[in-house]
Each structure stands twice: as structure tokens, then as C-alpha cells.
Amino acid sequence: MTHPKRYTITAALPYTNGPIHIGHLAGVYVPADIYARYLRLKGADVAYICGSDEHGVAIPMKAKKEGISPKEIIDKYHEIIKKSFQDFGISFDNYSRTSAEIHHKTASDFFTKLYNQGDFIEEITEQLFDEQANQFLADRFVVGTCPKCGFDGSYGDQCESCGTSHNATDLINPKSAITGNIPTLKSTKHWFLPLDRYENFLREWILVGHKNDWKPNVYGQVKSWIDDGLRPRAVTRDLDWGIPVPLENAEGKVLYVWFDAPIGYISSTKEWAEREGKNWEDYWYNSDTKLVHFIGKDNIVFHCIVFPSMLKAHGDFILPDNVPANEFLNLEGNKLSTSKNWAVWLHEYLEDFPNQQDVLRYTLTANAPENKDNDFTWKDFQAKNNNELVAIFGNFINRVVVLTHKYYDGFVPTPNDFSAIDEDVLAALKEFPDKIGKSIERYRFREASQEMMNLARLGNKYLADEEPWKVIKVDEERVKTILYVALQIVAGLTVVSEPFLPFTSTKLKNLLNIVFCKKDKGISWNDVAEKEVLLQPNHQIGQADLLFSKIEDDAIEAQLQKLIATKKANENDLSNEQAGNKTVNPQKEIIEFEDFTKLDIRIGTILEAEKVAKTKKLLKLKVDVGLDVRTIVSGIAESFSPKEIIGQQVSVLVNLAPRNIKGIESQGMILMTDTVDGKLAFVEPSEKVANGQEIS
């Protein structure tokens, strides 16, 4: 679609069973945000839509693990995720949640329309059933061997090793993820979307219609699926958590999350449109709207096969113009893993690197896994900041602003005659919006970010070649022209950097006393290419303020130590302490079994440790107890140094009421005993076990 009237941009709905990490950002949310911000700067009508996915099987699994209700899980992580996105500058027009009433109604109405049209197949099939748990095992409640690649940790809906999607009954040697028992087969009724009916449509629409404009990784995966032959796929599940199937005699059945979740894009748009006084149908029904889905590669089948088939069956909706899925991002050479805590969590990054959102945005964009899996390293993060953002971008801006104040009290000077070099530089400046824009519109965000940085390089080279600090001694009039030209580049950078570095762009906007995209007043994306003057002579700018600061080695080392602790905790190489003989204290008074069952003692791993100021015995610990990572104050400082206990597995009383110790809220107690020489010793497992394992 060459000139769409409006854009609907969707970003994959994150599961509310955990926080956001850098893999999510690199794969989905940063590229989608760059695209949306760019289009807004171009003056486009944009609806950038997302929300929390709160009905996946992972939600009740997490709830069971933490001993709380699914509602408590989704409320907890929805707020963490939403705040992280806001603090990171992800500019959603609406961030909703699939537990919202508007979504339940939208999804139910969608199902009902397809049901009334006869688009579903109703079948009684045999599904895996856990006799002990007395429930059917949907999706991630069952694990087994992948029938395609042989990976023995595949879930019931998808193999995390090869990415193949399948049914739980396809697994070899399946086991219940709830009890560990071997499930039986039991009959149950479900409704299926016959994907085979849509093979010809999908083949024509994607394999023919989008052969030349969809990314090879997306196109190739879709082609493989279609060539293998599509089969009916269930759109309902036997669960007690989700949107109830809106039919009579369907008790205990909910809409399958991959039927309900993409409809969340539609319900979120409705929510936004109602708030903003817009017509949501314009963004989903009209053919002059361009729909783009930003997802990770593990969601390609659902956004390119299942959801389009649903939209086609419904009949009223437009289809996505593109689905620019990214590959995966690794961390320090290893695959990101939430279960193993091998990740850089966004909310923790924002705490560790305050006001440095753009550094992570830039690093993830410059190293984006667009065509193949890529690797994030803390050393590269440091280099991207110090060698590019500080040394190139920030250095250019700072030199121009400082010289403008030094020579002209902060006023843009009036230029004299332009030299050939000046004219070439100003002409080159005008070319950058188009070069950057074309890369963005082709979803080549890594390439676009480097074109943006090339404009800063152009500015640096121009200053280095013209040397105004030397010329001022012999030709003051020439310096006016040099700084005038340099300030035009600064103004251009302020605009074209905004999709990539929004916080920096805002600082620059305030520094230059300019606004964006306000008719007759601001500077738009197109103005950089079309206007002869971006900053008028005699316009006053503010004082210089460093846009980026150098990241020192100790900050990087701290992050690496976190990962080392995580790796150590994940390895089965912890030595066991030998318990010595000691005089035994008398037995305490008899308690009832019910008293013991109130104690929730679990295995955890110490991730961080530091001394509590003005105390001799106390250490402040961060401990991964499987349920979460919590702060615990422990009186062990006289027996252990903080450094030596990183990675140590410990036993933790996790349901002890929080207690304020030296101004720190301690959320549990670490179980200790004494050695024969009077030192403390950890009560730890004899073998490495998973964090969160209960002691009983």
C-alpha cells in the first residue's frame, strides 16, 4: 500500500506471567516504536496498539507455583510491564489488557459470529487428562518429546527448540507438568477452525502476493507450513481460566489463548477509539488503512496463518500488509531464558541505569536480530554508548552549542556567503530524512539507526575540517557561516533521532527551543528535507548539557557479576559443606502437623549481597526463591563476605511476615546452623536443585 490514509500498528501482547526483558524489546517493542514515532513525525494517522495477554496457560501455572490466584498474577505483572514500557518510552497509543470487559465482549462476539456462520467444526476428541489433578492438560500443562526434532522438553502447544507448533497429543512420552504423572486419554468436545479451508487463500495472499516484500524468515516459515498442509486447529480449551466459550453446554471450556489474544488488538483499538472520540472501524475495516504486526519469530504461525484465517472468516476485517518478525536475541552467547533468570530485565535496567533509556534503545537497534539471531553483550553496550553516542553524537552537539554561546551568546548567527563545502553539507543534510525513512519503511531499523548516526558523523567531520576555533582568530565572518551550518545539522538531528533516541531528542528540542510537528511553528520530518532554514538567524538556544555520559568499567562489571552469579546458580557444581558434631540442644515443645504445614520453606539462590551500613552482622541479600527475587536481611556478615556467597543455594522461609530491619524491608528468613568452630553454615541441598523447590 503506497499511500495509506492511516496506520494500525500492533505489537505482540506480552504474557503477564513475568516482566519484560531485552529479548522482547529487541524483537518487538523497540522496532515497532521506531516505526510508529517515524510515521507520526511524517504527519501520519497512527494507532499503535498493545496490551497484556492474560489468558495463557502460563498464568494459572505461575499462580499455582506462587500459591496465589491468577487474578493476583495478572494484576501484579500487568502493572510492572505497563510501567516499564512507559518509563522506557514505548509510545503506545493504547495499552490494554485481555481481562478487560471490552475484550471479553469483543472476543466472544467474534467467536459467536464465526460459529453462527458455520465456520467451526465441532468434534469430540481424546485429550490428555491428569487423573490425580482431575483436569485436562492443555498446552503448557504437559511436556514431552517433540515429534519433529526429538527435544525432550517440548510443551504441548509448541517446541521451544525447533519452534514447531503441535497438539499436546502429538508429544512422545507426555507427562503432566502439574503432578509429573503420565496422563491418560479422555474424551472431550471442542470447536476447531478448519485451517485447511484457507490454504488456497493463504497461498495466494502470502506466497504470491507478498513474495517480494515480506522478510525471508517470515515468508519461509509460512511457506513451510502451507506446503506441509494445514489442519483444523482447536479454538477452545478445557480450563477454568480464560474467556468462557459463549455457547450453551460449554461449561468448563474457554477460548484458546491464540484465538483470544490477537483479538486483543481489536479490543484495545476499540478502547482507544472510545477514549479519543474516533471510529475504531476505520482502523480495522477500511482498505485504505495499513495494518502491520510486530512480533517475534515464535509467533509467526499465529499472525500469518491463524489470525488472518480468522479475519478472513469473519469477513469485515483488513489483512496485515506486513508482519516483520525478528529473530531471537541471545545474551552473552547464551539463549535468553526466563526460567533460568538468564536475562536483562527491563525494570532492573531502568533502576541500574537511570535516565539512560536511549542507550539501551540504541544498542538493541544497532544490533537488532533482524535477519538472524544476534547477541547482546555488556561490553558492546558500553562501546555503543562510549564510542558512538558519547564520542560521535553527543560530542558534535556539545561542541556546536558551546561554540555558539562562546562566540554569539547562544544566538544563531547570520551566515555570509556559502562555500562549496557548506552547500554540499546542507544538501547532504536534506537527503538524510529520505534515506532514514526508506530504511524504516523497509523495516531495516538497524540500517536506519546507522544512517541517523551518519548525520552526526557528517557534522563532526564538517567541524573538524572547518575548524571554527582556529578560523575565529583570522576570519570572524566565516565562523558565523560555519556555526550556522552546524546548527542546521543539529536541528536536523533533533528530528531524525527522535524515533531512535526519544529522550535525547526531547532534550535537544528543549535545548534548541523548538517543537515538532506543529503546523506553522514546529519542524516536521519532511521539513528537514524541504526547508531551506531549520533554525533562523537570531534564534536563541539554551546552554550546553551533556546528552550522554561515559559508562565506566565498574558499572559493566556489576552487570557481568550478576550473570556470573546466575550461571553459577544454574550449574551443578556447588560443593557441600561438611556438618560437624556439636552439642545438641533439647527438643522444643511438641507441635501439631498442621503447625508445620504453615511453614513454606523453599530453596533459593543468592544473587547479590552487600553489607548493611553501620552494622557488623547484617548483610542485605537479593535471593531468587523461584517465586520471585526478594530482599532478605540476614545476620551472617561475621561468617561470610558478600562476594563469597554469590551463587550460594540456601533454604528460605518465604512466608514469614515482612519485617523492617535498619530501614530495609526483609521478606523472608534464611535457615542457618552452626559448625563445630562456631561459624554459621547454610542449610542447603546436597545436590543442585531448582529455585523454588519446597522443603517438606
Side-chain angles (χ1 to χ4, degrees):
M1 189 180 299
T2 307
H3 298 292
K5 189 172 182 180
R6 65 190 67 81
Y7 292 81
T8 301
I9 303 168
T10 71
L13 308 185
Y15 280 130
T16 47
N17 69 329
I20 294 296
H21 60 59
I22 58 170
H24 302 130
L25 295 173
V28 178
Y29 305 107
V30 169
D33 196 61
I34 291 171
Y35 188 66
R37 287 177 179 274
Y38 160 74
L39 290 173
R40 293 191 194 106
L41 285 166
K42 292 274 289 183
D45 182 355
V46 172
Y48 180 21
I49 300 299
C50 194
S52 293
D53 179 0
E54 300 175 323
H55 291 138
V57 176
I59 305 299
M61 284 187 71
K62 184 80 170 182
K64 286 177 182 291
K65 184 178 180 181
E66 295 194 15
I68 57 179
S69 70
K71 180 68 164 59
E72 289 174 291
I73 288 288
I74 64 174
D75 287 346
K76 172 184 175 180
Y77 287 110
H78 172 74
E79 291 304 320
I80 291 174
I81 292 170
K82 185 177 181 180
K83 185 176 188 304
S84 295
F85 279 144
Q86 289 173 341
D87 293 345
F88 195 60
I90 301 298
S91 60
F92 297 126
D93 288 298
N94 198 61
Y95 189 82
S96 188
R97 54 192 307 186
T98 59
S99 62
E101 182 180 347
I102 192 171
H103 175 70
H104 276 237
K105 184 177 188 311
T106 301
S108 296
D109 290 348
F110 198 111
F111 177 92
T112 301
K113 186 174 192 299
L114 268 58
Y115 177 82
N116 290 338
Q117 292 174 175
D119 291 313
F120 294 134
I121 298 172
E122 183 179 307
E123 284 189 3
I124 295 177
T125 62
E126 288 191 321
Q127 300 293 323
L128 297 176
F129 187 83
D130 187 324
E131 299 285 353
Q132 181 180 339
N134 193 33
Q135 72 174 75
F136 285 96
L137 300 176
D139 307 329
R140 307 223 159 187
F141 279 144
V142 60
V143 293
T145 301
C146 174
K148 183 171 183 178
C149 74
F151 176 62
D152 61 5
S154 177
Y155 290 114
D157 60 341
Q158 190 172 35
C159 176
E160 288 196 338
S161 180
C162 68
T164 301
S165 181
H166 47 234
N167 293 315
T169 50
D170 296 330
L171 290 175
I172 302 168
N173 300 323
K175 289 186 178 180
S176 168
I178 303 172
T179 64
N181 294 337
I182 297 173
T184 59
L185 288 172
K186 187 174 181 179
S187 296
T188 184
K189 180 172 65 176
H190 283 293
W191 290 265
F192 294 75
L193 181 66
L195 294 176
D196 49 310
R197 292 182 189 173
Y198 302 95
E199 270 193 28
N200 291 335
F201 149 67
L202 292 168
R203 189 178 298 275
E204 182 67 24
W205 171 54
I206 299 176
L207 301 190
V208 176
H210 288 291
K211 184 175 184 178
N212 298 319
D213 62 329
W214 280 24
K215 295 174 69 171
N217 62 324
V218 178
Y219 184 88
Q221 193 176 132
V222 172
K223 186 176 187 303
S224 176
W225 266 78
I226 295 175
D227 288 347
D228 284 348
L230 301 178
R231 292 171 290 279
R233 191 176 186 93
V235 298
T236 58
R237 286 289 189 269
D238 289 293
L239 282 172
D240 56 3
W241 178 253
I243 299 175
V245 173
L247 298 174
E248 293 183 3
N249 302 318
E251 293 82 6
K253 300 183 187 297
V254 300
L255 299 183
Y256 177 38
V257 67
W258 275 113
F259 182 88
D260 125 54
I263 297 173
Y265 301 139
I266 301 168
S267 60
S268 183
T269 307
K270 286 183 176 181
E271 190 176 74
W272 165 75
E274 183 177 338
R275 184 182 69 239
E276 300 297 325
K278 294 179 178 288
N279 180 8
W280 75 268
E281 294 181 350
D282 288 340
Y283 296 85
W284 282 96
Y285 286 178
N286 286 354
S287 60
D288 53 5
T289 296
K290 182 173 181 175
L291 172 63
V292 182
H293 295 313
F294 283 87
I295 59 169
K297 71 175 180 181
D298 53 337
N299 290 337
I300 289 174
V301 62
F302 299 106
H303 286 78
C304 299
I305 299 288
V306 179
F307 191 41
S309 298
M310 291 164 53
L311 297 175
K312 181 70 173 176
H314 191 283
D316 294 325
F317 289 90
I318 58 174
L319 298 171
D321 184 81
N322 212 313
V323 185
N326 271 357
E327 299 292 297
F328 289 147
L329 185 74
N330 297 322
L331 172 60
E332 298 288 350
N334 294 306
K335 184 178 179 181
L336 281 160
S337 173
T338 57
S339 62
K340 295 180 179 179
N341 196 35
W342 191 255
V344 176
W345 303 103
L346 177 55
H347 66 292
E348 291 184 358
Y349 172 86
L350 293 169
E351 292 176 358
D352 293 344
F353 294 90
N355 302 315
Q356 291 181 290
Q357 297 95 325
D358 284 350
V359 182
L360 184 57
R361 286 179 66 110
Y362 178 74
T363 302
L364 294 177
T365 305
N367 202 29
E370 293 177 345
N371 302 310
K372 63 179 182 179
D373 290 357
N374 224 331
D375 197 34
F376 175 93
T377 70
W378 281 110
K379 289 293 185 182
D380 180 63
F381 166 83
Q382 182 185 28
K384 288 288 191 296
N385 179 78
N386 294 354
N387 301 338
E388 297 181 32
L389 294 176
V390 173
I392 298 173
F393 192 107
N395 181 57
F396 169 65
I397 301 293
N398 188 64
R399 288 200 294 174
V400 173
V401 174
V402 167
L403 290 175
T404 301
H405 276 275
K406 182 177 181 180
Y407 300 150
Y408 309 113
D409 295 325
F411 289 92
V412 178
T414 301
N416 294 292
D417 293 337
F418 295 118
S419 68
I421 293 175
D422 301 332
E423 291 176 345
D424 287 346
V425 168
L426 290 172
L429 168 61
K430 293 179 181 296
E431 295 174 359
F432 275 93
D434 186 56
K435 287 193 289 187
I436 297 169
K438 283 182 177 178
S439 294
I440 291 176
E441 290 175 14
R442 292 196 298 267
Y443 311 105
R444 298 176 181 175
F445 303 105
R446 185 170 57 199
E447 179 182 272
S449 71
Q450 294 314 294
E451 286 292 353
M452 180 273 295
M453 191 59 72
N454 283 339
L455 179 54
R457 290 187 175 97
L458 173 70
N460 270 320
K461 185 178 186 304
Y462 176 71
L463 280 185
D465 290 345
E466 297 305 302
E467 299 181 309
W469 49 87
K470 291 184 180 179
V471 176
I472 193 72
K473 299 174 183 177
V474 295
D475 190 350
E476 293 184 4
E477 294 301 310
R478 172 62 188 151
V479 173
K480 292 179 181 178
T481 305
I482 295 171
L483 285 181
Y484 170 86
V485 171
L487 283 162
Q488 304 310 306
I489 298 174
V490 172
L493 269 175
T494 303
V495 178
V496 300
S497 68
E498 199 266 355
F500 313 96
L501 309 170
F503 292 89
T504 304
S505 178
T506 297
K507 290 179 183 178
L508 280 172
K509 182 170 56 175
N510 294 331
L511 173 65
L512 297 182
N513 294 318
I514 60 174
V515 294
F516 292 164
C517 296
K518 291 186 178 179
K519 192 174 182 181
D520 300 327
K521 292 182 180 180
I523 303 175
S524 72
W525 189 274
N526 293 336
D527 288 339
V528 179
E530 297 169 0
K531 277 191 172 183
E532 291 299 320
V533 181
L534 298 177
L535 283 182
Q536 294 288 342
N538 296 319
H539 176 85
Q540 188 170 24
I541 65 174
Q543 292 285 344
D545 185 19
L546 291 180
L547 299 175
F548 303 98
S549 57
K550 188 176 180 181
I551 294 176
E552 301 296 341
D553 290 344
D554 58 350
I556 298 303
E557 184 61 26
Q559 298 302 319
L560 292 173
Q561 287 301 319
K562 276 188 182 182
L563 294 177
I564 290 172
T566 296
K567 181 173 286 189
K568 187 176 179 182
N570 288 329
E571 293 173 349
N572 190 15
D573 62 356
L574 295 177
S575 61
N576 298 315
E577 297 287 340
Q578 295 295 323
N581 294 321
K582 186 187 176 190
T583 302
V584 179
N585 291 325
Q587 175 181 302
K588 295 181 181 179
E589 64 183 57
I590 297 293
I591 64 171
E592 298 296 329
F593 179 76
E594 286 73 20
D595 295 322
F596 172 76
T597 60
K598 294 178 182 179
L599 301 177
D600 190 348
I601 304 172
R602 307 206 182 202
I603 298 300
T605 299
I606 298 174
L607 303 181
E608 299 177 32
E610 63 180 290
K611 289 187 176 181
V612 177
K614 299 180 180 180
T615 69
K616 291 183 178 181
K617 295 184 177 182
L618 300 182
L619 290 182
K620 176 184 175 183
L621 311 175
K622 284 288 183 69
V623 184
D624 182 351
V625 297
L627 307 173
D628 53 28
V629 176
R630 58 182 62 187
T631 299
I632 298 176
V633 178
S634 184
I636 60 175
E638 293 181 324
S639 297
F640 302 99
S641 68
K643 187 175 182 180
E644 71 178 299
I645 61 173
I646 300 298
Q648 172 70 49
Q649 283 214 305
V650 294
S651 301
V652 184
L653 179 61
V654 296
N655 64 337
L656 184 67
R659 182 183 177 191
N660 190 289
I661 303 175
K662 295 294 182 179
I664 303 169
E665 184 179 68
S666 183
Q667 302 169 304
M669 176 185 290
I670 294 181
L671 305 189
M672 308 295 296
T673 188
D674 295 328
T675 64
V676 290
D677 57 0
K679 289 187 177 181
L680 293 175
F682 292 106
V683 178
E684 61 179 327
S686 60
E687 295 181 2
K688 174 72 170 62
V689 300
N691 292 330
Q693 286 290 97
E694 298 179 63
I695 297 176
S696 59

